[in-house]
């Protein structure tokens, strides 16, 4: 398709979209700019038009228009992604899911909800509060459920409740030809047919556009939080491993390295020992946790930890987890004008201490500013660089070594942020050439025109010689 024809066909598609949606199809520059990027470090790209459907049927009509004119279409949720998955790098249509925000059904007895892709995580949990249930997947940002589904999101609660793949029961998906497909069921398990649900979870909108999600809910737990500092990073990680081996009911456990604790002490409202630190959340009644506290304290002490500090229920616990949520944004203030570049690797628990220590040493040798924070209970950690423009190439090199180190340890390039733009080149090293070839085959089979979020996830095939 030549450039002139491409412009002409795009204009025809835009005209049809405006006829279909009226004011909910916008070509205004301010709207295009809002949909040109996400929270990642990747370059921004404007779409030609932003559409805001309100129903699955409208999404299907939009996709049919995109297919008819071969215009790329990229779904956009809350814009909180960290690997560029929502950036329309080939322009075209940005499909904003914000108006797909209906909480369709809450089945409290079944502990299931059906929601539109645009429903935000915190909004959902506010609605659920009176039922005694909650949706546990917590990536930190107030992300949309559709975006979390598409990236295979995770977060601080994964050690207890699992990631999106374990918490999605079924989907409504619009395929590349505009058909509407429903996957899964409301049953808690099934061995019926191919698992199409998990084909789309984590596919980042490259195989279909998710419009509705059936999700598992869980009882709101009785929870008590604590924190402890450690003489070494290795001691902190190994304490978590031993607590898990002991079968203690961890709801959350987060690692913050010493530089990040320094940020808390400079910018937060409380002071912690200037040591690598673990934030814990234990689930159970106060009496149950009290019965375990000696065991927990002994494990922490054995690995060079300070006595556990228990902020207590209510305000103290809220402040602890708000600090964990906010600390990386505080860290940006340590370097005005800096950009964030978070790595997102996950490794077997047995390799976690070594990989974290090697990563910290690599960063220290580089002289770059970076902080390590991790969901260490499930082997996932982030090394978050705060860098200036002239440091970008060096950050890319160190970040690449973090990924290579994780894969060599039997881990993955991305534990929860997705592949998007940034991790495509590592896919073959992690999965093998044969698996990547199969992924390409699936992409071609489900999206033969290549209009669904092009340039993401699956690496481009090598040119024929």
């Amino acid at each position: 398709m030549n450039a002139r024809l491409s412009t002409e066909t795009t204009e025809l598609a835009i005209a049809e979209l405006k006829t279909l949606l009226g004011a909910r199809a916008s070509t205004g520059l301010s709207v295009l700019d809002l949909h040109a990027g996400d929270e990642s470090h990747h370059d921004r790209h404007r779409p030609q038009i932003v559409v805001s459907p309100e129903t699955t049927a409208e999404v299907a009509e939009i996709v049919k228009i995109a297919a008819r004119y071969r215009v790329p279409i990229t779904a956009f949720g809350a814009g909180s992604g960290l690997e560029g998955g929502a950036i329309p790098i080939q322009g075209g249509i940005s499909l904003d899911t914000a108006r797909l925000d209906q909480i369709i059904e809450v089945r409290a007895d079944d502990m299931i909800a059906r929601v539109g892709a645009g429903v935000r995580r915190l909004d959902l949990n506010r609605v659920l509060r009176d039922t005694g249930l909650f949706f546990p997947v917590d990536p930190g940002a107030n992300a949309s459920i559709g975006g979390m589904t598409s990236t295979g999101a995770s977060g601080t609660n994964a050690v207890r409740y699992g990631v999106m793949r374990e918490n999605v029961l079924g989907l409504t998906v619009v395929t590349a030809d505009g058909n509407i497909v429903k996957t899964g069921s409301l049953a808690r398990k099934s061995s019926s047919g191919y698992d199409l649900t998990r084909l789309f979870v984590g596919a980042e909108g490259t195989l279909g556009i998710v419009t509705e999600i059936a999700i598992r809910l869980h009882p709101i737990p009785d929870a008590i939080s604590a924190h402890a500092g450690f003489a070494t990073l290795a001691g902190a990680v190994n304490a978590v491993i031993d607590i898990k081996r002991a079968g203690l009911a961890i709801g959350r456990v987060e690692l913050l390295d010493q530089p990040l604790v320094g940020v808390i002490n400079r910018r937060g409202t409380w002071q912690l020992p200037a040591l690598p630190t673990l934030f814990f959340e234990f689930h159970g009644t106060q009496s149950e946790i009290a019965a375990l506290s000696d065991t927990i304290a002994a494990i922490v002490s054995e690995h060079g930890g300070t006595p556990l500090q228990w902020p207590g229920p209510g305000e103290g616990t809220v402040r602890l987890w708000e600090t964990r949520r906010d600390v990386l944004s505080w860290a940006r203030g340590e370097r005005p004008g800096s950009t964030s570049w978070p790595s997102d690797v996950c490794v077997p628990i047995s390799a976690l201490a070594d990989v974290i220590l090697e990563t910290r040493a690599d960063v220290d040798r580089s002289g770059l500013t970076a902080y390590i924070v991790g969901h260490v209970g499930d082997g996932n950690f982030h090394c978050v660089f705060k860098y200036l423009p002239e440091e970008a190439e060096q950050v890319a090199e160190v970040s690449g070594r973090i990924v290579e180190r994780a894969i060599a340890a039997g881990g993955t390039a991305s534990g929860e942020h997705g592949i998007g733009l940034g991790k495509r080149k590592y896919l073959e090293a992690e999965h093998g050439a044969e698996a990547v070839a199969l992924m390409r085959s699936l992409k071609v089979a489900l999206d033969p025109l290549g209009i669904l979020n092009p340039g993401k996830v699956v690496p481009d095939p090598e040119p024929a010689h």
Side-chain angles (χ1 to χ4, degrees):
M1 185 181 297
N2 61 46
R4 181 171 176 271
L5 183 60
S6 178
T7 300
E8 289 176 352
T9 55
T10 300
E11 288 175 352
L12 290 170
I14 288 172
E16 285 202 28
L17 291 167
K18 288 186 173 181
T19 299
L20 175 69
L21 299 171
R24 291 185 285 116
S26 176
T27 53
L29 288 182
S30 61
V31 177
L32 300 183
D33 282 341
L34 283 173
H35 295 77
D38 54 16
E39 293 295 321
S40 73
H41 61 279
H42 296 290
D43 293 339
R44 298 171 64 83
H45 296 268
R46 278 181 184 161
Q48 270 76 50
I49 187 169
V50 175
V51 296
S52 300
E54 294 179 340
T55 66
T56 296
E58 283 188 342
V59 175
E61 291 303 313
I62 292 164
V63 173
K64 288 175 183 177
I65 292 170
R68 186 154 57 246
Y69 294 104
R70 301 196 177 193
V71 176
I73 182 167
T74 301
F76 186 97
S80 57
L82 295 172
E83 283 297 346
I87 299 175
I89 60 171
Q90 294 185 16
I93 303 164
S94 177
L95 188 148
D96 192 317
T97 63
R99 289 176 180 262
L100 299 170
D101 61 350
Q102 301 82 15
I103 298 176
I104 301 161
E105 181 181 22
V106 175
R107 301 167 63 110
D109 289 345
D110 293 320
M111 295 194 293
I112 292 170
R114 291 174 54 234
V115 301
V119 171
R120 298 289 191 94
R121 177 181 66 86
L122 293 178
D123 297 336
L124 174 62
N125 278 330
R126 276 192 287 270
V127 170
L128 292 173
R129 189 174 298 146
D130 289 343
T131 69
L133 302 171
F134 82 126
F135 182 63
V137 183
D138 174 10
N142 188 19
S144 68
I145 303 298
M148 292 165 63
T149 300
S150 291
T151 57
S154 177
T156 59
N157 287 321
V159 66
R160 176 70 182 268
Y161 296 103
V163 301
M164 285 302 289
R165 280 189 170 88
E166 284 87 54
N167 285 283
V168 173
L169 291 168
L171 301 169
T172 300
V173 180
V174 176
T175 59
D177 54 6
N179 284 329
I180 298 170
V181 174
K182 294 186 181 293
T183 76
S185 71
L186 298 183
R188 302 295 283 188
K189 64 180 182 178
S190 172
S191 59
S192 173
Y194 297 138
D195 192 346
L196 296 179
T197 300
R198 278 152 195 81
L199 178 63
F200 292 106
V201 176
E204 302 185 48
T206 62
L207 303 179
I209 296 176
V210 173
T211 61
E212 295 179 10
I213 308 100
I215 51 177
R216 296 175 185 265
L217 306 178
H218 299 263
I220 297 172
D222 292 325
I224 301 176
S225 296
H227 61 87
F230 289 79
T232 65
L233 271 173
V237 176
N238 288 324
V240 174
I241 294 170
D242 281 357
I243 287 172
K244 288 194 67 181
R245 284 175 178 163
L248 306 184
I250 301 178
R252 293 190 272 187
V253 56
E254 295 288 296
L255 170 71
L256 297 84
D257 71 354
Q258 187 170 341
L260 202 54
V261 172
V263 173
I264 292 172
N265 290 341
R266 287 188 293 276
R267 296 182 175 268
T269 59
W270 57 340
Q271 296 291 302
L272 297 171
L275 298 169
T277 295
L278 291 175
F279 287 179
F280 295 100
E281 183 174 275
F282 299 101
H283 288 179
T285 64
Q286 290 191 6
S287 60
E288 288 171 338
I289 298 301
L292 295 173
S293 61
D294 288 345
T295 303
I296 295 166
I299 293 172
V300 168
S301 176
E302 181 182 339
H303 292 284
T306 64
L308 283 171
Q309 300 296 309
W310 303 83
E315 184 177 341
T317 290
V318 169
R319 184 172 66 166
L320 185 144
W321 293 108
E322 284 182 345
T323 296
R324 165 61 185 91
R325 183 192 65 203
D326 295 339
V327 65
L328 288 173
S329 61
W330 297 344
R332 180 175 289 186
E334 302 275 295
R335 298 197 82 191
S338 66
T339 300
S340 290
W341 184 323
S343 68
D344 168 38
V345 297
C346 189
V347 299
I349 291 288
S350 60
L352 185 61
D354 288 342
V355 172
I356 287 178
L357 290 174
E358 290 166 10
T359 297
R360 185 71 257 177
D362 196 357
V363 170
D364 291 343
R365 286 192 300 268
S366 74
L368 295 167
T369 299
Y371 307 92
I372 290 177
V373 60
H375 319 312
V376 287
D378 53 14
N380 186 197
F381 77 93
H382 312 293
C383 182
V384 184
F385 297 88
K386 302 291 183 180
Y387 70 101
L388 301 175
E390 61 270 20
E391 298 169 330
E393 185 174 342
Q394 190 181 10
V395 171
E397 292 174 358
V398 178
S399 182
R401 288 198 294 271
I402 293 171
V403 174
E404 291 162 1
R405 193 176 293 124
I407 292 172
T412 177
S414 179
E416 59 186 11
H417 294 168
I419 293 298
L421 288 167
K423 301 285 183 67
R424 294 197 304 155
K425 63 184 177 181
Y426 302 109
L427 216 60
E428 188 167 315
E430 179 176 339
H431 297 285
E434 294 80 8
V436 171
L438 183 57
M439 293 181 199
R440 288 197 188 103
S441 297
L442 285 168
K443 171 68 172 170
V444 170
L446 295 179
D447 181 21
L449 299 178
I451 61 170
L452 295 178
N453 205 6
K456 310 292 174 57
V457 185
V458 180
D460 298 326
E462 294 293 330
H465 294 291

